[in-house]
Amino acid sequence: MRRLYLSLSAGLFDTPCPIRISPPSFGPWRTCCGDYKQPEYGKVILPFTVLRRLDCVLEGTKPAVLAEKEKRKKAGLNPEPFLLRKSGLLFYNTSLLDLKNLMGD
């Protein structure tokens, strides 16, 4: 069975959506993992990969969802059903932050 690794040569947050999957590239991998030991890589890389994928999925609808939230909040309505409809998915994100913004801090 062949294992697939994330290609981090350009950096996890610089890659276009969806994240590319390719054979290992250990130099950038070590740089990305910093002070973590090899057995701990999965505890760091996997959660951030999932978060980045969710960011990618929600990227196209996020401005519309945020605008809809403000509109419904001003009207005094429960925004949830409207936000679900705007996102077109079973989930949405109303945070102003995303992983790209957080990496800039």
Side-chain angles (χ1 to χ4, degrees):
M1 180 161 129
R2 184 176 175 168
R3 291 185 178 189
L4 296 176
Y5 295 87
L6 287 172
S7 172
L8 300 176
S9 57
L12 181 61
F13 304 106
D14 296 333
T15 58
C17 299
I19 295 173
R20 297 182 309 254
I21 304 292
S22 68
S25 172
F26 293 107
W29 183 277
R30 285 189 195 109
T31 303
C32 179
C33 293
D35 295 331
Y36 295 96
K37 295 180 177 84
Q38 189 172 1
E40 298 172 326
Y41 289 175
K43 295 176 185 176
V44 176
I45 298 296
L46 183 61
F48 278 99
T49 301
V50 171
L51 289 173
R52 177 66 179 132
R53 295 294 296 240
L54 288 173
D55 267 355
C56 290
V57 169
L58 296 171
E59 193 172 50
T61 61
K62 191 167 183 174
V65 167
L66 291 173
E68 188 72 21
K69 178 186 174 196
E70 289 303 314
K71 178 180 168 184
R72 300 304 172 178
K73 204 173 184 182
K74 286 180 184 176
L77 297 171
N78 175 16
E80 186 173 0
F82 300 102
L83 300 180
L84 288 170
R85 191 174 313 131
K86 263 309 178 195
S87 74
L89 302 166
L90 297 176
F91 58 98
Y92 55 87
N93 182 3
T94 58
S95 171
L96 297 176
L97 299 174
D98 59 22
L99 286 179
K100 284 185 180 181
N101 294 347
L102 291 173
M103 290 300 293
D105 287 348

